[in-house]
Amino acid sequence: MINPELMELLEKNDVLDILVGSVAYQLQKIKNVEKTNEGRDWYQELPPIVKDKFDNYKTDYENLSRILTLNPEQIHDEMNKGYYYWRLIRSACTTYRNDLIEYDRQLIEEFNLQETEAISDNYVLNECIDVLDKHVIEK
């Protein structure tokens, strides 16, 4: 049984939006590898075992993205089957937050902007990551 606090994340629209957005962002990053010469070269140089893992992650994120578009009861059923997809969500949320922090830094540097509330200082995203960090562990 998945920890109830994780399942509660799926019941709040703003949280579900963040989870969907984070997964979409991670999937976009994975798919962008094949869109540039540098990415394709990097991919081709991967050892076969790593290439297989990368391909599996792409497939898994596509499945997770599909799951998050189902009706709420189906999402709960799928996500309650195990921690694997929760670990993928945790990875996606963490990557999303880390990249947003980097974008904040770049914007301030590039445009010499006065510091304001950071794009990366997203309360919902940070709360999701806190919950995921506490409960998404491999057993």
Side-chain angles (χ1 to χ4, degrees):
M1 173 79 176
I2 299 296
N3 187 292
E5 198 172 355
L6 284 175
M7 298 308 285
E8 288 172 16
L9 291 176
L10 300 172
E11 296 170 6
K12 301 175 189 165
N13 285 338
D14 57 343
V15 173
L16 186 57
D17 288 345
I18 286 286
L19 299 179
V20 169
S22 295
V23 168
Y25 180 77
Q26 188 79 337
L27 188 54
Q28 178 185 7
K29 284 187 77 157
I30 291 170
K31 288 181 175 183
N32 281 345
V33 167
E34 59 199 35
K35 292 182 179 180
T36 66
N37 289 336
E38 292 169 335
R40 286 187 295 270
D41 290 346
W42 171 83
Y43 179 80
Q44 289 306 317
E45 292 173 9
L46 292 174
I49 193 167
V50 177
K51 197 181 288 184
D52 289 345
K53 189 71 167 169
F54 184 85
D55 293 342
N56 289 340
Y57 275 130
K58 180 180 174 188
T59 300
D60 294 340
Y61 274 110
E62 288 169 340
N63 287 335
L64 179 56
S65 183
R66 179 193 54 77
I67 288 168
L68 293 175
T69 63
L70 299 173
N71 70 50
E73 188 175 295
Q74 291 172 310
I75 293 173
H76 273 80
D77 290 346
E78 290 296 319
M79 296 303 292
N80 206 22
K81 289 180 180 176
Y83 279 97
Y84 180 68
Y85 284 134
W86 286 108
R87 289 194 309 271
L88 290 179
I89 286 176
R90 178 177 174 257
S91 175
C93 287
T94 302
T95 298
Y96 189 46
R97 180 178 63 185
N98 291 344
D99 284 1
L100 288 175
I101 289 168
E102 180 61 22
Y103 296 144
D104 283 336
R105 189 192 61 69
Q106 288 175 4
L107 283 172
I108 289 168
E109 260 181 38
E110 187 167 334
F111 297 106
N112 198 24
L113 297 175
Q114 179 181 3
E115 288 205 33
T116 59
E117 186 175 319
I119 297 168
S120 58
D121 194 19
N122 182 306
Y123 175 77
V124 176
L125 179 58
N126 291 332
E127 287 294 310
C128 285
I129 292 171
D130 287 344
V131 171
L132 292 164
D133 282 345
K134 281 191 266 182
H135 298 297
V136 182
I137 36 182
E138 192 158 353
K139 299 193 178 206

